[in-house]
């Protein structure tokens, strides 16, 4: 059973470009969470999705950031017009159900904006 | 705002030592507390605690939750260099949609 798969592992973008980060949850998991880890800081919640639905996006910046989890395919975190402050590690986690089960994390995507 | 505080922030020990890492929390609707180990990349799951006073154990690692004191400890006995990592504590709410993480404890085990 493959774990949570994220790609790419490393992504370099110039300021103003778009960044697309992908996450395939563990098999059978229908709950996906995105977290951001800035340098020297802890993990911060961004968004929680189930298939085709955004359930909680209270941790996501209001502009330039969006997330989706389509019926088929991976979850996508999209950052438009990236700025240097977006440089961080972005982690995806998935869980079997809401509440009562642990979340498993992917390896993360390290985004560098130059 | 929900808050998770870990201490110490950093700890350096020698192989064979026993360490205790602390986590305290302020959460509106507590559901569970989780411990993760983060080495170079992904946080890997260690324990999930929901009931007070029940110790969870896995090899040399153990953890216990105290809901009255709003805290948890993670113990590692007979530490090894491979235990060197950041240990993250996270708390989940009854709404279930997010984990609130602490800053982590950086543990370094020297040979």
């Amino acid at each position: 059973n493959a774990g949570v798969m994220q790609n790419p592992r490393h992504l370099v973008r110039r300021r103003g470009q778009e960044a697309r980060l992908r996450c395939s949850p563990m098999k059978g998991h229908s709950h996906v969470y995105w977290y951001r880890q800035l340098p020297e800081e802890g993990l911060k919640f961004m968004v929680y999705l189930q298939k085709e639905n955004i359930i909680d996006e209270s941790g996501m910046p209001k502009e330039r950031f969006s997330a989706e989890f389509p019926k088929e395919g991976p979850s996508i975190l999209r950052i438009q017009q990236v700025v240097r402050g977006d440089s961080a590690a972005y982690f995806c986690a998935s869980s079997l159900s809401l509440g009562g089960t642990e979340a498993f994390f992917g390896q993360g995507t390290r985004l560098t904006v130059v | 705002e929900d808050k998770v505080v870990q201490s110490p922030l950093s700890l350096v020990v020698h192989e064979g030592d026993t360490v205790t890492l602390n986590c305290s929390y302020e959460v509106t609707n507590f559901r569970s507390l989780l411990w993760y180990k983060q080495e170079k990349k992904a946080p890997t799951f260690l324990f999930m605690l929901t009931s007070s006073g029940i110790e969870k154990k896995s090899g040399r690692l153990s953890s216990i939750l105290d809901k009255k004191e709003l805290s948890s400890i993670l113990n590692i006995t007979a530490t090894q260099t491979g235990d060197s990592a950041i240990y993250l504590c996270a708390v989940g709410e009854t709404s279930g949609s997010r984990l609130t993480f602490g800053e982590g404890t950086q543990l370094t085990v020297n040979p």
Side-chain angles (χ1 to χ4, degrees):
Chain A
N1 186 9
V4 178
M5 304 299 292
Q6 288 188 249
N7 68 82
R9 294 286 299 275
H10 298 274
L11 182 61
V12 179
R13 282 287 177 266
R14 294 189 187 279
R15 279 179 295 171
Q17 291 184 318
E18 179 180 287
R20 277 183 179 245
L21 289 62
R22 293 174 185 76
C23 168
S24 296
M26 284 182 71
K27 189 176 179 181
H29 285 193
S30 59
H31 301 259
V32 166
Y33 314 80
W34 285 93
Y35 288 82
R36 178 164 65 174
Q37 189 172 38
L38 292 166
E40 309 300 325
E41 291 188 19
L43 286 154
K44 304 287 185 197
F45 169 82
M46 296 182 75
V47 62
Y48 158 52
L49 310 103
Q50 293 181 30
K51 283 284 185 184
E52 298 185 276
N53 286 306
I54 297 173
I55 307 301
D56 181 356
E57 57 182 346
S58 58
M60 197 120 88
K62 294 280 185 285
E63 295 175 354
R64 302 188 297 108
F65 285 72
S66 62
E68 62 177 14
F69 189 15
K71 190 176 177 183
E72 302 290 337
S75 175
I76 306 285
L77 180 67
R78 184 177 173 212
I79 312 172
Q80 294 178 288
Q81 298 174 330
V82 295
V83 302
R84 288 233 171 95
D86 296 333
S87 297
Y90 292 83
F91 288 96
C92 169
S94 72
S95 66
L96 188 59
S97 64
L98 182 65
T101 60
E102 59 269 29
F104 293 91
F105 281 79
Q107 294 287 317
T109 293
R110 184 160 296 281
L111 172 67
T112 303
V113 180
V114 298
Chain B
E1 188 179 313
D2 297 339
K3 196 173 170 184
V4 177
V5 177
Q6 292 186 245
S7 64
L9 289 179
S10 179
L11 189 56
V12 181
V13 299
H14 287 106
E15 267 191 318
D17 288 351
T18 293
V19 298
T20 298
L21 309 184
N22 300 286
C23 175
S24 62
Y25 60 90
E26 293 174 25
V27 172
T28 308
N29 297 299
F30 177 86
R31 171 174 57 85
S32 59
L33 186 146
L34 295 86
W35 284 97
Y36 288 87
K37 178 182 181 183
Q38 187 176 22
E39 293 173 271
K40 290 205 169 61
K41 291 290 180 187
T44 52
F45 172 80
L46 295 175
F47 298 111
M48 183 172 78
L49 306 157
T50 55
S51 300
S52 204
I54 298 174
E55 185 184 51
K56 292 223 172 172
K57 203 169 167 63
S58 175
R60 297 177 292 104
L61 276 67
S62 64
S63 183
I64 195 161
L65 175 67
D66 186 338
K67 283 186 177 177
K68 191 176 174 186
E69 296 295 326
L70 305 182
S71 65
S72 174
I73 59 170
L74 174 69
N75 280 319
I76 309 175
T77 59
T79 52
Q80 303 170 356
T81 54
D83 294 328
S84 296
I86 297 172
Y87 289 83
L88 297 167
C89 173
V91 173
E93 299 179 51
T94 49
S95 65
S97 62
R98 66 169 70 193
L99 294 173
T100 300
F101 280 83
E103 297 292 324
T105 293
Q106 172 77 62
L107 174 66
T108 303
V109 181
N110 290 324

